[in-house]
Each structure stands twice: as C-alpha cells, then as structure tokens.
Amino acid sequence: MDHDTMMQGRRTLHFYQKRGKALQIALYGLLFIVVGIYLMVLGFSPGPDHSIYGGIMGILALLMGVTGMGFSIRRAFRFSPILTLDEKGLHDRVAAANAGFVAWTEISKIEPYVLMNQPYIGIDLHNAQDFLSRRSGFMRGLMKANRGLVSMPVNIPMQGFGAQAPEILREMELRWQRYGHFEDRSDGRFSDGWPEE
C-alpha cells in the first residue's frame, strides 16, 4: 500500500494516556501529601522538634502532592485523547506545559531526544516567538522554562505512551512531510528513533 492510500485511510489519529503511568504519578503525589502532613505536624506543634521552616516545607510538599495527585487522577480517568494528529497539525495536551495546536506548516524540525532517561519528541518552529505570543501568559512562562532545559519550544514527553512512542514519531514525520514545509528533510528520510543517552 502506498503512502497516499495509507494517509487517506488514517486522516486523524488519537492517542490516549496510559492509565498505569498516571496512577503511578498519583501515588507519588500521595507520598508527598503524607510527608507534607508529617512535616506540618512536626513543624507547627509545640515541642523540641518545633520548626517553622519544617512546617513551611510541609505546606509546600502538601501543595505539590495535591496538585500532582489531582492532575494525574484527572489524566488517568480522562476519556479524551491527549495527542491528536490530523491533516492540519498536532493537538498536544500531553503535559502541563502542552503546546496546544501546532500546524504542520509551522514546524521546521521534528527530533526525538532523551532527557534524564525519558524519551521526548522535540519540535522546532519556523517562528517560535510568534507561536509563543499566541499562548496565555502562564503557558508562555512554562514553555520558556522548558526552553531553558532544551533548545526546542515544543517538547512532547513520550513516557506515558509506552510502545506507541515510535509509532507516534513516525506518524508525526509522515504528516509533517505531507502537509508541512520540510526543507531540512527534503530527502524524505526519517529519524532512526531515540538516541541513547
């Protein structure tokens, strides 16, 4: 089957969060909640172990735990896709600092990479400043913070997709080459997958 026939049969692809990964993050959130409560009780109660610093650290741990647990439980039981690929572009709702909609024509480069033993798909844009200006202030701040770690403005974590990650990369590249402007890959080659860290 040629590439055009395959693409016409699969115009839109939806990918969903793996529940196991989201529930694992929820368990880490629960751990932070327990530690936070322990530190708050220890820090704010009278006695020899009384410490305002410990109590404040407990409050911070509790807030982080509640946020992480709430986010991951919501993700675990969400029935809508967190990543969609169609003929117009990709719709990224994978992480807290998600990109939202990115048109294939905005993309200048798609590159897999590994950061701290976790696979990612990095996406560089023809005009990153224009893309960031269309985001809310909060999302713009998160994406700029991400840019401090990696060079690309759009970064999609793949660890929640398991064995589907190579398929997602391949489908992104196919759609980008079909619908976008891809001067960097005009030879039609695809990446070889994630590099070893």
Side-chain angles (χ1 to χ4, degrees):
M1 178 187 317
D2 69 319
H3 173 59
D4 287 346
T5 307
M6 185 180 81
M7 289 297 288
Q8 286 178 2
R10 300 173 69 186
R11 289 224 182 251
T12 302
L13 288 177
H14 300 289
F15 297 95
Y16 297 84
Q17 174 78 44
K18 299 283 187 211
R19 282 205 177 116
K21 185 68 174 178
L23 291 174
Q24 180 184 12
I25 294 169
L27 285 175
Y28 287 123
L30 181 61
L31 178 66
F32 267 78
I33 290 170
V34 170
V35 169
I37 290 171
Y38 174 75
L39 287 174
M40 281 175 39
V41 168
L42 195 64
F44 292 133
S45 65
D49 293 329
H50 172 74
S51 167
I52 296 295
Y53 177 73
I56 292 171
M57 293 304 292
I59 290 171
L60 292 175
L62 181 66
L63 290 173
M64 284 178 48
V66 167
T67 303
M69 190 171 176
F71 180 77
S72 57
I73 287 176
R74 193 179 78 195
R75 282 293 172 108
F77 298 104
R78 178 187 229 172
F79 297 109
S80 60
I82 60 172
L83 182 65
T84 301
L85 308 177
D86 61 27
E87 65 273 1
K88 293 178 183 166
L90 63 94
H91 305 265
D92 168 28
R93 297 171 293 279
V94 177
N98 65 60
F101 176 73
V102 182
W104 299 120
T105 54
E106 293 181 284
I107 298 173
S108 65
K109 183 178 179 182
I110 296 176
E111 185 173 298
Y113 68 92
V114 176
L115 179 66
M116 295 172 26
N117 292 325
Q118 300 295 328
Y120 288 83
I121 294 177
I123 298 174
D124 209 354
L125 305 171
H126 293 292
N127 190 344
Q129 287 306 112
D130 182 49
F131 179 80
L132 287 174
S133 71
R134 295 191 313 254
R135 300 296 171 258
S136 70
F138 177 71
M139 291 305 291
R140 195 168 35 249
L142 286 176
M143 292 177 86
K144 282 183 180 179
N146 259 356
R147 195 126 193 223
L149 296 172
V150 293
S151 63
M152 297 187 197
V154 178
N155 300 282
I156 303 174
M158 290 285 107
Q159 62 266 27
F161 292 106
Q164 284 186 310
E167 176 192 352
I168 291 170
L169 175 63
R170 175 91 172 144
E171 291 294 339
M172 274 186 188
E173 289 177 328
L174 285 171
R175 282 166 170 69
W176 175 50
Q177 289 191 3
R178 178 172 173 108
Y179 301 115
H181 305 292
F182 56 94
E183 293 85 16
D184 294 343
R185 292 247 177 96
S186 58
D187 58 359
R189 288 185 298 119
F190 295 101
S191 66
D192 296 327
W194 280 268
E196 296 294 321
E197 188 176 43

